[in-house]
């Protein structure tokens, strides 16, 4: 996880900064085609930064409460929609394991159904571009698990639930619901 944060996440930040510098130059030249051409790079590095910033806050050690879902509106919603956290986590794992190539598995708040949803995004695409509010992200890039799990991705997916910071996820859920109800 240190390597993941210090090397991989840092590379997205550096990439985003470089792309934004090039964008500013293209804007300065009134080079619209140049600005448009930079968008995929900005989506990739910017998405990488945004997604990892959520991921780190989603995680906490077992000693500090990792894996424990407290009584909360989120817990009630999980039980109402999925029956149990166990069922939901298995659904997330199944969907995330099905990603072709690199990407992320997500538990989101989906405003269209005013409820929880499970989606995947490719590469560093963000749930917000699909209209979803990200609550919990599972990094399914090889760089997330190869050090601890080699090629056994399934064990990484199984074990990550032991270190989920459900307090953080519940807070994101409360904020998403409050924001939706204001509209
Ligand atoms: Fe990652």
């Amino acid at each position: 996880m240190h390597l993941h944060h210090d090397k991989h996440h840092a590379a997205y930040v550096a990439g985003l900064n470089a792309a934004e510098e090039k964008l500013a130059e293209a804007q300065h030249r009134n080079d619209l085609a140049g600005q448009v051409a930079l968008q995929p790079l900005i989506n990739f590095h910017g998405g990488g930064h945004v997604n990892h910033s959520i991921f780190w806050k989603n995680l906490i050690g077992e000693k500090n409460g990792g894996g424990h879902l407290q009584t909360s509106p989120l817990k009630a919603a999980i039980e109402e929609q999925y029956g149990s956290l166990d069922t939901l986590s298995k659904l997330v794992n199944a969907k995330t394991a099905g990603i072709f190539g690199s990407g992320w598995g997500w538990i989101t708040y989906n405003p269209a159904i005013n409820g929880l949803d499970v989606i995947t995004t490719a590469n560093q695409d963000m749930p917000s571009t699909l209209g979803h509010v990200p609550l919990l992200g599972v990094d399914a890039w090889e760089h997330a698990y190869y050090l601890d799990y080699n090629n056994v991705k399934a064990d990484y997916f199984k074990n990550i639930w032991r270190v989920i910071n459900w307090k953080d996820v519940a807070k994101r859920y409360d904020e998403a619901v409050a924001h939706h109800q204001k509209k």
Side-chain angles (χ1 to χ4, degrees):
M1 285 297 179
H2 284 287
L3 189 88
H4 190 173
H5 181 270
D6 296 349
K7 294 281 187 265
H8 293 291
H9 186 176
Y12 292 115
V13 174
L16 177 63
N17 288 337
E20 282 183 339
E21 247 172 61
K22 280 190 198 153
L23 182 67
E25 286 164 17
Q27 281 166 340
H28 192 68
R29 294 195 303 269
N30 281 325
D31 174 5
L32 181 59
Q35 291 172 51
V36 173
L38 282 163
Q39 291 310 313
L41 207 60
I42 291 171
N43 287 351
F44 182 75
H45 291 291
H49 176 47
V50 170
N51 291 339
H52 284 92
S53 298
I54 297 167
F55 183 59
W56 303 128
K57 292 197 171 148
N58 283 160
L59 301 176
I60 195 165
E62 275 182 289
K63 282 197 305 272
N64 296 312
H68 177 63
L69 176 61
Q70 300 83 2
T71 300
S72 58
L74 173 69
K75 185 170 193 259
I78 288 173
E79 286 168 359
E80 193 193 316
Q81 282 186 249
Y82 298 95
S84 70
L85 174 58
D86 191 49
T87 308
L88 173 60
S89 61
K90 282 182 179 141
L91 177 67
V92 174
N93 284 0
K95 280 204 173 187
T96 307
I99 294 173
F100 190 75
S102 294
W104 290 75
W106 299 96
I107 296 174
T108 65
Y109 171 77
N110 182 353
I113 59 168
N114 186 26
L116 298 169
D117 215 345
V118 176
I119 63 168
T120 61
T121 56
N123 301 313
Q124 293 297 355
D125 290 353
M126 303 179 298
S128 56
T129 57
L130 303 170
H132 289 243
V133 182
L135 305 177
L136 169 65
V138 177
D139 190 337
W141 280 63
E142 211 172 61
H143 70 224
Y145 60 85
Y146 70 104
L147 273 184
D148 291 333
Y149 296 100
N150 298 313
N151 57 342
V152 191
K153 189 155 70 167
D155 286 351
Y156 160 70
F157 288 149
K158 202 171 74 194
N159 284 332
I160 199 154
W161 299 96
R162 289 162 47 192
V163 290
I164 298 300
N165 183 355
W166 286 105
K167 259 191 199 161
D168 178 65
V169 183
K171 192 180 93 197
R172 292 174 194 274
Y173 175 75
D174 290 343
E175 286 166 2
V177 171
H179 184 72
H180 179 74
Q181 281 167 351
K182 256 196 281 173
K183 281 197 206 158

